[in-house]
Every structure is written in structure tokens, then in C-alpha cells.
Amino acid sequence: MRVRLDHLVCWVSDQLASLHFYEQVIGLPGVRAEEFREGKAPFPSVRITPDCILDLMSFEAMRGVDEGTGVHGSAGHPVNHFCLAFGKEDFDALKLRLKKHQVEITGTGTNSFGARGIAPETIYFPDPDGNVIEARYYE
């Protein structure tokens, strides 16, 4: 069976602020960002990999029925965190951008197991809504 993660959805209070964070601080390219700014898309996304995106969904959609999907609210299961794997140079650049934007690194780790084996270094930090992100690199 061939299965891939297509997308994740994060609930956010300010979609534009979150889009700015994921584009400018983390460095992920926006998807439908201009369409969202122009009012032509209900939410923006950012690209994680060529075949996986992160949707930035307004808390307002959680309160009612999402007209795009017909889904009522949240699945009700909180997510502990999600992890983004970078190359070493991009990981180091991310740490500098976090410092520049005064985003606190709330946790660190070494020799952490993940999808591609053991990562020598990991960091954890929140997005503007408190969603926890882990960043790592593999050698």
C-alpha cells in the first residue's frame, strides 16, 4: 500500500499572522496565500513537502460547520506536536530566524528517534496559537 500524508490542519486565531509566521519565521512557502488575502480562498496553507501542506484554519470554522468540507468543529483529539525535518544548514538558519523574531525555543533534545532514524538535535517552539512544532535534522 502506498500512503502519504496529504495535509495537516492547525486551528489558528489570526490566519494572516499565522501565515506570516510559517512563511517568514519557519520559511515555508505559502499556498493560496494571495487568494486568501484577496478573499478568494477560505484559508491559506503552507507547503511542507512537494506533496504535503499545512492548512491554517480559523477557530471560527471550528465553532460551526466548515462550508468547504461539511465537517462540524474539531475531531476533538488534541495533537501533542508535529515535527518538521530540515537539512542541517536550514535547521541552523531556522534557529537564527526564531531568535530574530523572538520566538522562544521551549525544549531541546538529542539523539531523538523519528521517521528517518535518529536525529542528532531537535528543538521545540510554539506557533502564534501555541501549536507546538518540533524541528530536527538528520545526518
Side-chain angles (χ1 to χ4, degrees):
M1 175 170 53
R2 290 183 54 122
V3 177
R4 292 186 177 168
L5 183 62
D6 185 82
H7 69 277
L8 300 169
V9 177
C10 278
W11 294 118
V12 301
S13 58
D14 183 332
Q15 290 167 294
L16 288 174
S18 292
L19 180 61
H20 174 82
F21 178 83
Y22 283 93
E23 285 181 321
Q24 301 302 314
V25 179
I26 296 182
L28 300 174
V31 176
R32 299 191 323 164
E34 288 309 312
E35 292 90 334
F36 175 75
R37 289 182 182 104
E38 295 168 1
K40 297 177 183 175
F43 56 87
S45 304
V46 291
R47 184 154 305 282
I48 297 172
T49 66
D51 54 0
C52 183
I53 60 175
L54 174 66
D55 297 335
L56 306 172
M57 188 74 68
S58 169
F59 280 119
E60 294 303 312
M62 183 172 59
R63 291 178 177 74
V65 175
D66 178 342
E67 294 182 22
T69 64
V71 172
H72 292 268
S74 173
H77 303 286
V79 172
N80 181 275
H81 71 277
F82 63 90
C83 180
L84 301 172
F86 294 82
K88 174 68 168 122
E89 287 182 21
D90 291 330
F91 179 82
D92 291 339
L94 170 64
K95 290 194 299 186
L96 292 173
R97 286 193 306 275
L98 291 171
K99 184 174 183 174
K100 175 184 173 186
H101 290 274
Q102 299 177 336
V103 176
E104 180 184 4
I105 293 174
T106 56
T108 61
T110 57
N111 300 317
S112 178
F113 178 76
R116 293 172 34 207
I118 300 296
E121 183 179 359
T122 63
I123 59 173
Y124 297 84
F125 56 92
D127 79 357
D129 290 284
N131 294 304
V132 177
I133 302 163
E134 176 185 350
R136 63 174 49 214
Y137 69 91
Y138 292 97
E139 293 183 315

